[in-house]
């Protein structure tokens, strides 16, 4: 679902650009709300998948899935921060 919200926000932005409208505050808020909802649905899906793995008796797989997801997510955020610092603080 988050991919759809991203796609629709991009399409809406392109539509307004073609019509000569700039993104005003309302459009930015609308995009922000869509992205927040998309983040919640992504997180909910992740948790549901983890719980379903436990229910099927795959506890070790579920724990590995959760650990790797959190570690890779934090690692990707940290890497993005480092790249930003290297590119924009020199």
């Amino acid at each position: 679902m988050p991919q759809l919200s991203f796609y629709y926000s991009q399409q809406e932005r392109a539509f307004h650009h073609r019509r000569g409208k700039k993104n005003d505050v309302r459009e930015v808020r609308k995009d922000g709300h869509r992205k927040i909802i998309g983040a919640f649905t992504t997180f909910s899906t992740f948790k549901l998948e983890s719980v379903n793995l436990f229910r099927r008796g795959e506890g070790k797989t579920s724990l590995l899935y959760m650990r790797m997801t959190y570690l890779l997510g934090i690692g990707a955020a940290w890497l993005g921060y480092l790249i930003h610092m290297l590119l924009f603080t020199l």
Side-chain angles (χ1 to χ4, degrees):
M1 191 59 88
Q3 292 84 6
L4 286 177
S5 67
F6 176 76
Y7 173 76
Y8 287 127
S9 68
Q10 296 303 314
Q11 293 301 314
E12 186 176 319
R13 189 174 293 125
F15 173 75
H16 286 301
H17 181 69
R18 283 193 301 268
R19 295 190 63 195
K21 295 181 182 179
K22 294 183 179 177
N23 284 338
D24 61 355
V25 173
R26 289 172 297 195
E27 292 299 320
V28 171
R29 285 184 188 153
K30 193 185 304 182
D31 280 349
H33 292 148
R34 242 184 244 129
K35 290 172 184 170
I36 289 170
I37 291 170
F40 279 126
T41 57
T42 302
F43 188 71
S44 298
T45 303
F46 163 67
K47 289 299 182 182
L48 179 64
E49 289 174 352
S50 301
V51 168
N52 285 338
L53 283 170
F54 266 115
R55 286 182 180 165
R56 287 192 305 237
E58 299 179 41
K60 288 182 182 179
T61 304
S62 179
L63 288 173
L64 178 65
Y65 174 58
M66 287 189 287
R67 283 187 196 129
M68 294 304 294
T69 301
Y70 284 123
L71 289 174
L72 291 174
I74 292 170
W78 182 249
L79 181 63
Y81 173 76
L82 290 176
I83 290 171
H84 170 78
M85 294 302 286
L86 287 172
L87 291 176
F88 296 107
T89 59
L90 293 176

